[in-house]
Amino acid sequence: MSGVNTAGWRPSMNSTEGVATGPVTASGDRALMLEEPLIFELDGEGKWGVDIDACERPMASALAKFARKAAPALPGLTEPEVVRHYTRLSRQNYGIDLGPFPLGSCTMKHNPRLNEKMARLPGFADVHPLQPQKTVEGALEVIEQLADWLITLTGMASVAMSPKAGAHGELCGLLCIRAALDARGETRDIVLVPESAHGTNPATAAFAGFKVQTIPATPEGRVDVAALKEKLGPDVAGVMITNPNTCGLFEPELKDIADAVHAAGGYVYCDGANFNAIVGRVRPGDLGVDAMHINLHKTFSTPHGGGGPGAGPVVLSEALAPFAPLPFVTRGADGSIHLVEEENRGEGHDRAFGRMVAFHGQMGMFTRALAYILSHGADGLRQVAEDAVLNANYVLRSLDDVLEAPFGASGPCMHEALFSDAGLPEGLSTLDIAKGLIDEGFHPMTVYFPLVVKGAMLIEPTETESKQGLDRFIASMRRLAERAKAGDESLHAAPFYAPRRRLDETRAARKPVLVWKGDQTEG
Ligand SMILES: *Cc1c(COP(=O)(O)O)cnc(C)c1O
């Protein structure tokens, strides 16, 4: 139990193993640590939250045979019970508004409240995608302005605004590449992807019908350029490269790579998820990139939102711009703004490969991202990148004496610091440090990614953490590293203080129980 302060604290509700506890309470609650059953278990005879008039028997109709014979199996709760249920559950959660969220690669940034205020303006929040265009010109102008900023910041020719996430943007980019190849009458079907890439890259390439070939990483954590060049040939449609890469390092040879790929007739897709580290400093267009998605929920601070709604616009080079999907915001000769919804868009944009989504993207995210950009200005955005990189290097150099930093010798990192569990005693690993971090009151870092580093821990502090905040996080990480180095086996049982402890994540993923069927106590 060395190093674990258990005084006065109760461990998770489902185990008391290994932790000294106070009295067992009748309620299962521990003062402000509240336990909460499933909503179905709160069901009680004759309770409800609203009064609804009794429904008159529907007249016989063609649908009559489908009329419900039994009451729906919905739990009955009073309004205060419903409110408390969800509030109690929310308190068991962790969020960016509670503390640092150091997930590397995910860029969990603070969501400025100004963005929320702008997105809630009725002119943006209440518009409908099928409204006549004349009545939503302001909203179209937001899309246009954001598009202009993205084009300027990346030095690219055009942008497709409708994709709804990074991975969706990857698909958009690869479909543009496919359309460009079709237009050239070529059937190239290989996409090269470095082994350090995010899993979405090979998945997208395969989904778009390409064959994936892997490029190895150098011992310094960068793309092996010689190995890449060797693979170039008449069947290669393009490469997908992340810059800065997922080891947190800039790929200085991207321009050279792009020249070689172009000379071999291929296109360069850049995974722009890490644009946060270089925004305002580097324009990917200058490096020869043909397509790059931008995760507005990473670089431009819009909420990650539990899987949606997101936005992943894709900037495109001159070569790919004509194939961008519909719709498109343009200006008429008289300066009027409109959304082009049909093919044959005229000069430069006449060969759309189709459409990614029903409408024109996530208005709420566009508004937030534009608010973020305008409130920072060009100089502010540059400082975002500089501070993100400074914070990550502060973490890297504050911990590289207690944790192995696999590429620490490669010089400064970009916006994320990479460590590994090499050097920890046999049996103690990355997972134990990550779970211990929960007891320390932090969300764990990204673990076991990138795959090129065994036992990887990828920490991305982002630019909005203060030095004080970083010091607190570093102190916790040091403590955990020291406990692990001292062979403190109690880390295997962490987290002690979370509402739930080590869950069987594999079983939860493989055999999820999604339907309530009464008492489901299982062995
Ligand atoms: C987040 C991320 C993606 C995928 O983006 P989503 O918006 O989650 O679909 C792709 N590549 C990298 C490197 C990322 O960090």
Side-chain angles (χ1 to χ4, degrees):
M1 291 308 312
S2 63
V4 186
N5 172 19
T6 56
W9 264 94
R10 183 190 186 275
S12 80
M13 311 300 174
N14 56 0
S15 169
T16 54
E17 191 192 329
V19 177
T21 60
V24 172
T25 59
S27 62
D29 294 340
R30 292 291 184 281
L32 296 178
M33 283 283 284
L34 303 173
E35 179 55 290
E36 185 62 5
L38 296 176
I39 198 164
F40 295 97
E41 296 170 291
L42 295 171
D43 180 26
E45 206 62 41
K47 288 192 295 179
W48 57 87
V50 282
D51 285 324
I52 301 175
D53 287 340
C55 163
E56 279 177 35
R57 252 192 106 66
M59 302 219 304
S61 78
L63 295 177
K65 66 176 172 183
F66 297 111
R68 193 180 265 293
K69 301 212 168 49
L74 293 173
L77 282 81
T78 66
E79 180 178 306
E81 283 174 336
V82 172
V83 171
R84 284 181 190 153
H85 174 69
Y86 288 107
T87 307
R88 281 171 166 248
L89 287 184
S90 75
R91 294 175 47 127
Q92 297 185 1
N93 212 342
Y94 191 92
I96 191 73
D97 293 338
L98 281 170
F101 217 114
L103 278 179
S105 207
C106 296
T107 314
M108 306 296 286
K109 280 168 88 141
H110 168 65
N111 312 136
R113 294 306 181 263
L114 178 66
N115 299 358
E116 300 303 316
K117 206 168 164 182
M118 294 303 110
R120 280 166 178 70
L121 290 173
F124 299 131
D126 296 345
V127 294
H128 190 280
L130 292 176
Q131 244 171 278
Q133 289 193 26
K134 270 273 160 235
T135 65
V136 291
E137 288 181 337
L140 294 181
E141 204 165 317
V142 164
I143 301 180
E144 184 190 46
Q145 276 195 33
L146 178 60
D148 272 355
W149 272 95
L150 298 181
I151 287 170
T152 305
L153 288 168
T154 55
M156 302 284 281
S158 180
V159 59
M161 295 296 287
S162 64
K164 299 217 171 159
H168 205 207
E170 290 171 27
L171 182 62
C172 175
L174 288 196
L175 292 178
C176 286
I177 291 175
R178 161 74 69 212
L181 289 170
D182 284 350
R184 277 162 40 184
E186 293 188 28
T187 54
R188 296 167 178 253
D189 64 350
I190 293 172
V191 169
L192 306 178
V193 181
E195 60 179 342
S196 63
H198 198 265
T200 50
N201 289 193
T204 300
F207 187 74
F210 293 102
K211 293 187 193 122
V212 176
Q213 283 186 12
T214 308
I215 308 292
T218 64
E220 293 77 42
R222 295 192 164 92
V223 173
D224 185 334
V225 181
L228 184 150
K229 285 183 178 168
E230 226 160 74
K231 293 208 180 233
L232 291 175
D235 291 330
V236 173
V239 296
M240 294 181 89
I241 291 190
T242 310
N243 201 14
N245 70 24
T246 60
C247 298
L249 302 174
F250 193 73
E251 296 282 1
E253 293 179 276
L254 184 54
K255 178 87 180 69
D256 181 31
I257 293 172
D259 289 346
V261 172
H262 290 151
Y267 295 95
V268 178
Y269 187 91
C270 180
D271 180 328
N274 295 334
F275 192 47
N276 189 43
I278 56 172
V279 59
R281 304 267 330 205
V282 177
R283 299 190 311 168
D286 297 339
L287 304 178
V289 168
D290 290 299
M292 180 179 98
H293 72 259
I294 297 170
N295 310 60
L296 296 188
H297 48 288
K298 293 180 181 171
T299 305
F300 298 109
S301 83
T302 67
H304 281 240
V314 181
V315 286
L316 298 165
S317 64
E318 291 289 353
L320 294 185
F323 306 98
L326 297 163
F328 226 86
V329 174
T330 61
R331 293 263 172 194
D334 59 352
S336 62
I337 192 163
H338 21 213
L339 199 60
V340 180
E341 299 255 30
E342 275 148 44
E343 261 167 270
N344 213 344
R345 298 173 290 176
E347 198 63 27
H349 301 298
D350 48 355
R351 300 160 96 173
F353 71 70
R355 197 177 250 280
M356 296 292 290
V357 297
F359 298 114
H360 19 279
Q362 295 290 7
M363 198 60 220
M365 296 303 134
F366 294 162
T367 316
R368 285 174 176 84
L370 184 62
Y372 179 82
I373 288 174
L374 293 178
S375 62
H376 280 74
D379 56 337
L381 289 176
R382 168 187 272 253
Q383 196 186 337
V384 159
E386 290 169 351
D387 290 352
V389 171
L390 182 63
N391 278 359
N393 278 283
Y394 185 64
V395 171
L396 180 66
R397 296 311 169 199
S398 300
L399 289 171
D400 64 358
D401 59 330
V402 283
L403 281 172
E404 175 80 14
F407 306 121
S410 305
C413 61
M414 297 300 289
H415 61 307
E416 46 199 6
L418 181 58
F419 297 98
S420 82
D421 60 8
L424 296 191
E426 182 74 27
L428 279 157
S429 65
T430 290
L431 191 67
D432 302 309
I433 303 261
K435 298 293 186 189
L437 206 49
I438 297 175
D439 279 336
E440 293 280 341
F442 293 101
H443 191 285
M445 70 299 270
T446 290
V447 294
Y448 301 106
F449 177 80
L451 303 178
V452 284
V453 169
K454 189 172 166 293
M457 293 176 238
L458 191 59
I459 298 173
E460 180 172 359
T462 79
E463 65 282 0
T464 40
E465 295 306 326
S466 66
K467 178 165 180 300
Q468 264 177 326
L470 290 179
D471 285 337
R472 270 198 298 274
F473 174 77
I474 289 163
S476 288
M477 282 297 293
R478 286 194 79 81
R479 179 73 178 280
L480 289 165
E482 282 161 8
R483 281 175 60 195
K485 287 211 153 150
D488 181 350
E489 298 274 333
S490 75
L491 276 173
H492 283 318
F496 289 95
Y497 306 136
R500 293 293 180 273
R501 298 184 60 191
R502 291 215 183 185
L503 303 177
D504 185 344
E505 287 158 13
T506 312
R507 187 160 145 233
R510 296 236 165 110
K511 290 190 179 173
V513 180
L514 302 176
V515 178
W516 171 255
K517 294 191 200 123
D519 185 13
Q520 293 185 315
T521 333
E522 273 185 78

